[in-house]
Amino acid sequence: MNDQKANYPDVPIVYEDNHVLGVSKPVNIPSQEDASGDPDMLTILKDDIKVRYNKPGNVYLGLVHRLDRPVGGAMVFAKTSKAASRLSESVRSRSFRKLYAAVVHGKPKQPSGRLVDTLYKDSRSNTVRVVPKGTEGSKEAILDYTVLATENGMSLVLVELHTGRPHQIRVQLSHAGWPLYGDQRYGNGLNKAGQQIALWSVFVGFPHPVSKEEIRIESMPPTLHPWNLFPSGRLIREIKNY
């Protein structure tokens, strides 16, 4: 990257061709520009492409899906408008697959299961809550979970998203009684200021927008607390076998 953008964080590139860019998003970076004015993923990657390929003028990069600012991991962008349209259709048709790893307080009674809730987003407070089905402005949220390990009163959980609602994993797991480690907003007073939320996008899979070949973007969480409480072997196997 150029000197002007030298203060940008490093964003590891996992996959790239003429149509798709897959990266491992660092934590605490917005997916796109927001009111904070902080560097965001779209701006960082556009500038990077501009420099690496010596492109004049504006660079196109389409936001296919979002990760909450404190969440890191696998993330996909479209490098052409055609790819953006086709990837967006993959999201709508649910052929765009997403897996997350999370460290939660407590241990779910069942080793695996499905959570189905109705969520409502309050745009004024930027918070999401579970509401009765049929509530005006609400949307159904579905995820599957598998408990991979439990240590020190916390569990490593693998989550497959079937819908892409704002704050979905954080709200649904908290509502079920297993708030995420480090989640100040939905942590029910269990977390302390300064803790990093333990939620990581470990896998994104989708048919390539042109070749239709299955593309897999993988990213492992950092070997920091609380992730390092759990052996990484089973998580790696689950991702590879998905």
Side-chain angles (χ1 to χ4, degrees), residues 146-198:
T146 302
V147 181
L148 302 185
T150 300
E151 293 287 346
N152 295 345
M154 291 187 286
S155 299
L156 175 64
V157 179
L158 190 65
V159 175
E160 180 181 13
L161 273 187
H162 296 292
T163 53
R165 311 306 181 200
H167 302 182
Q168 178 179 340
I169 296 173
R170 300 162 65 183
V171 175
Q172 285 196 274
L173 295 186
S174 178
H175 182 71
W178 326 309
L180 269 69
Y181 174 91
D183 192 346
Q184 310 299 314
R185 186 165 296 184
Y186 305 106
N188 297 338
L190 290 171
N191 298 308
K192 300 175 182 177
Q195 290 179 333
Q196 180 66 46
I197 187 172

